Amino acid sequence: MAASYVWKHCNEEREERPPAAIVQFSNGKLRNADLVDFTLYRNTDLSNPRKKNRRILAAETDRLCYVGNNFGAEALKCNTLCKYYVGVLDKKTRIMNVHNVELFSMQPVIPGETVTEVDALENKNKSYREKVDSLIEAFGTNKQKRALSSRRLNQVGSEMLHSAVAKAAENVIQKKGLQALEEDVAQTEAQHEMSLLPCHADADKLEDVYLFDDIISPAEYEALEVPAQALKELSSEDILKMREDGSPQVLIQEIQCLPKDKESREHMARCLWYLKQLIKLSSQRRINLKFSLDEGCPRIVVNRFLKTFTMETFSDGRINNTIPSSMKTKIAAYALALLLHIGDFQVDLTLLHRDLHLTENKMLDVARSMRLKIAKKSVLASGDVMEDHKIGILELPLIVYNQRVERKKRKKMT
């Protein structure tokens, strides 16, 4: 018959002495308990019901000290949710004494450093990134510390910038109102689009809407006499060679229609040579005073291009005259206005946007901003194939486009 055992609960220890302690170490398991000295401390204020049950357990080894307590942020919550017991079996008397116990989580303590409850709570609320940054500050290499410092400076600068922009925007909205701001933005966009080229909307004649002198100044026109001489003397073989070399299609189309009259031919040649330089300019990223020097481009024309179609930027220790995308749009507007004077105020927008390397939508936007009528026309292309081309037509009175409606339609299509 199996031996019987009896268990006995030690109720008297609850009043005479504190519950026993069961410990767990945060950084591993205890291999040999004999090498650790444990000391239990209790609060001396026994009259205070909250403090009289507070305990601090200290464990000391040859290498490190550990501390655990049953109160504060680092205390185990399980002690307040339930009770724990440990049974000690006496094999001789066959009686198991059951004792009350408390669990303690032992945390390592580095000599010379004190961690308050506030510090422990702040450390617990830190994100993973912040904890890693703290480790880098304490134990990181010089390279890691420099990278951390640089990242923090950038973060502070970005936060300050966002805060300043948000505050400024909020002040402006409060002063003017959201609706008034939207109207100002729409008006500014419309003025920007119309500022591509001076437009005289109240003109009575088509040639006065976009004045020829605004496109090519009188001084430039006089300087074009010499370089335009080559275009006047082009033969059929020269035009065929230009087509094979990939010259601008709109330029070849107009050269084939050069008038026989000497004065008209001279005027057309100068305009086409200027148009050729505008198309060439549109394909450049930056230019200098040597632009188109091999074609004998007059200095006055180069200076006009630098002043009208470029922006000064500083790079590699020098000032460069670059051509941003906004300036390419302005070049397209000047080329379009010049072709209006050349081609009886009708322009093949399809050929022009191909020569300028712009998208068709961008070319149509320029035409609408210049208040041209957009029409379709079937044109015989290479290989005897009919193509639908977009034609820009200047008519009086000028068409007024609703900029917002056009933009919304374009967004819906995408």
Side-chain angles (χ1 to χ4, degrees), residues 13-14 17-23 40 55 57 70 79 84-86 88 98-104:
E13 70 179 3
R14 185 178 185 91
R17 59 182 180 180
I22 293 180
V23 301
L40 183 63
R55 305 289 184 266
L57 181 61
N70 64 352
N79 286 327
Y84 292 87
Y85 300 91
V86 171
V88 180
V98 180
H99 302 270
N100 294 336
V101 295
E102 281 186 319
L103 300 183
F104 288 84

Side-chain angles (χ1 to χ4, degrees), residues 17-32:
R17 59 182 180 180
I22 293 180
V23 301
Q24 60 180 15
F25 291 85
S26 61
N27 57 345
K29 294 182 179 181
L30 187 62
R31 295 182 180 179
N32 190 351

Side-chain angles (χ1 to χ4, degrees), residues 30-83:
L30 187 62
R31 295 182 180 179
N32 190 351
D34 296 334
L35 300 178
V36 183
D37 294 331
F38 290 95
T39 306
L40 183 63
Y41 300 92
R42 61 183 299 180
N43 198 297
T44 57
D45 190 2
L46 300 179
S47 61
N48 191 324
R50 286 191 174 184
K51 294 183 179 180
K52 68 178 182 178
N53 293 323
R54 291 184 177 183
R55 305 289 184 266
I56 296 177
L57 181 61
E60 186 177 356
T61 66
D62 295 338
R63 301 178 59 186
L64 198 60
C65 294
Y66 298 85
V67 174
N69 51 61
N70 64 352
F71 62 92
E74 296 182 357
L76 296 175
K77 302 301 181 183
C78 57
N79 286 327
T80 59
L81 299 175
C82 56
K83 292 183 178 181

Side-chain angles (χ1 to χ4, degrees), residues 120-383:
L121 185 60
E122 290 180 355
N123 186 59
K124 187 177 180 180
N125 295 332
K126 282 184 178 180
S127 64
Y128 175 77
R129 177 75 264 177
E130 291 173 338
K131 291 179 180 179
V132 172
D133 291 346
S134 299
L135 290 175
I136 292 176
E137 286 181 338
F139 309 106
T141 62
N142 291 334
K143 183 177 180 181
Q144 290 174 327
K145 291 180 180 179
R146 288 196 300 269
L148 175 61
S149 176
S150 177
R151 178 163 57 81
R152 285 180 172 175
L153 288 175
N154 292 337
Q155 183 177 0
V156 171
S158 178
E159 290 176 353
M160 292 177 62
L161 177 62
H162 286 304
S163 177
V165 171
K167 187 175 181 180
E170 185 179 357
N171 293 336
V172 173
I173 292 175
Q174 289 178 352
K175 288 181 180 179
K176 301 192 66 175
L178 186 60
Q179 184 177 1
L181 285 175
E182 291 178 351
E183 293 177 356
D184 290 346
V185 170
Q187 184 178 2
T188 302
E189 290 180 352
Q191 290 177 353
H192 172 70
E193 291 178 346
M194 297 305 296
S195 66
L196 294 175
L197 188 68
C199 176
H200 304 276
D202 55 347
D204 297 329
K205 299 180 180 179
L206 293 176
E207 55 267 24
D208 294 337
V209 176
Y210 296 102
L211 296 177
F212 185 81
D213 290 346
D214 291 337
I215 306 169
I216 305 177
S217 66
E220 289 177 293
Y221 187 81
E222 292 295 329
L224 294 177
E225 180 180 2
V226 176
Q229 187 70 26
L231 290 181
K232 294 190 302 182
E233 302 172 354
L234 287 177
S235 60
S236 301
E237 291 78 9
D238 295 331
I239 296 175
L240 181 61
K241 185 178 179 181
M242 288 177 62
R243 191 186 302 274
E244 293 174 352
D245 294 339
S247 296
Q249 300 180 42
V250 67
L251 183 65
I252 296 175
Q253 185 183 60
E254 296 298 337
I255 289 177
Q256 292 175 339
C257 301
L258 281 174
K260 301 296 182 180
D261 178 64
K262 182 178 180 181
E263 185 176 351
S264 300
R265 191 179 182 90
E266 173 71 24
H267 173 74
M268 183 73 75
R270 296 188 187 188
C271 293
L272 291 179
W273 193 91
Y274 197 88
L275 175 65
K276 181 181 178 182
Q277 302 308 313
L278 286 175
I279 296 175
K280 181 179 179 180
L281 180 67
S282 180
S283 63
Q284 307 294 317
R285 292 186 177 180
R286 62 176 63 92
I287 63 171
N288 52 32
L289 291 175
K290 296 181 180 180
F291 172 76
S292 207
L293 187 62
D294 56 335
E295 299 184 40
C297 186
R299 176 59 64 86
I300 188 174
V301 175
V302 176
N303 291 337
R304 172 80 182 283
F305 285 174
L306 290 172
K307 181 180 179 180
T308 309
F309 303 115
T310 67
M311 295 181 62
E312 290 185 351
T313 58
F314 186 79
S315 176
D316 298 332
R318 57 185 300 180
I319 297 177
N320 298 316
N321 297 99
T322 59
I323 305 176
S325 57
S326 59
M327 289 300 179
K328 292 183 184 294
T329 304
K330 191 173 184 178
I331 295 172
Y334 272 73
L336 180 54
L338 183 56
L339 281 170
L340 288 173
H341 283 273
I342 296 174
D344 197 18
F345 302 101
Q346 294 189 12
V347 180
D348 192 328
L349 300 177
T350 302
L351 293 182
L352 184 58
H353 90 76
R354 291 174 183 174
D355 293 335
L356 294 174
H357 302 289
L358 297 176
T359 62
E360 185 179 29
N361 287 337
K362 191 67 175 178
M363 193 71 247
L364 292 177
D365 286 343
V366 175
R368 291 190 183 100
S369 69
M370 297 177 65
R371 303 175 69 174
L372 302 184
K373 177 183 177 181
I374 310 298
K376 289 185 179 180
K377 182 180 180 181
S378 296
V379 178
L380 183 63
S382 58

